[in-house]
Structures are given as C-alpha cells and as structure tokens.
Amino acid sequence: LLTAKHILKGRQTGDLVDLIFEKSDPQFAATAKIVWIDPSNDPEPNYYLKDVAILELESPSTLPEDYPYLTLGQSSGVNTLSEVILIGYPGGLLSTTTGAISNDNLKGMELFQ
C-alpha cells in the first residue's frame, strides 16, 4: 500500500500499524507493516516531494475477494492535459478532485502538477 509518510509520523520501518477501511462496504480492518519511509526531512514547502511511505499487509487474505485496487501504470504515458483523479483523506474526511496535468516537469524534476 502506498501512503503519505506524514500519516506515519513517529513510526519507523518495521512497525505494525492497524488499518480501518471505514469507507468500504462492508468495513474491515487489517494490519500492515511499514516497509519503507522516505528518509528525507525536507522543510516546507518541499516536503511533499518525498512524502511517501510503503506498507505491506500482514495478511493479504483480510481483503475482501472482490476488493477494488488500482494498477500501477507507466508515468511515461502521462502528458500535459492528461486527466487525473486525486483521492485523499485530509483531516480524516474523504476528498476527491478531478483535473488535468498542467505541468510534467515541476521544479526541474519529472513530477506532475
């Protein structure tokens, strides 16, 4: 599972975290191990460039059999004006936004804006 490292503040690689999929129907819970947290400590406003962590489910069978997931694609297929959907949970509230890639070379790096 890919998440933002700021969500895991105070935790480290190897720690177990409890997950609650409260927006799922039906709701379910799982445990995951933190397998990687970006080690950088960049100050704002650049922290978002590396605000990434990876979790691994302890028991993938806890996911419902028909649970939807996203397949990772190739960033080389994304161009300026490609349509995107952003999904997040700021403050614990579900937020979705749609739009288009306006820049594919943010701050001299191959990042999408």
Side-chain angles (χ1 to χ4, degrees):
L1 304 171
L2 183 66
T3 191
K5 79 175 184 181
H6 73 265
I7 300 216
L8 302 171
K9 188 173 184 171
R11 308 239 183 182
Q12 57 188 340
T13 300
D15 287 352
L16 295 177
V17 292
D18 293 321
L19 308 173
I20 300 172
F21 294 81
E22 63 183 34
K23 303 291 183 184
S24 295
D25 184 21
Q27 288 185 5
F28 66 95
T31 301
K33 180 170 65 173
I34 301 171
V35 293
W36 186 79
I37 299 175
D38 187 282
S40 63
N41 288 312
D42 294 340
E44 289 191 42
N46 293 325
Y47 77 92
Y48 69 90
L49 297 173
K50 299 175 185 172
D51 187 25
V52 177
I54 299 174
L55 307 175
E56 180 179 39
L57 290 174
E58 285 289 285
S59 178
S61 63
T62 59
L63 290 177
E65 189 173 314
D66 60 348
Y67 195 74
Y69 61 90
L70 297 174
T71 302
L72 292 178
Q74 297 293 324
S75 61
S76 60
V78 177
N79 300 305
T80 300
L81 300 181
S82 291
E83 292 186 26
V84 294
I85 300 172
L86 304 168
I87 304 169
Y89 290 89
L93 301 173
L94 175 63
S95 171
T96 60
T97 304
T98 59
I101 300 294
S102 62
N103 188 346
D104 60 6
N105 191 349
L106 184 63
K107 296 188 176 189
M109 301 175 74
E110 292 181 3
L111 298 173
F112 302 125
Q113 178 180 18

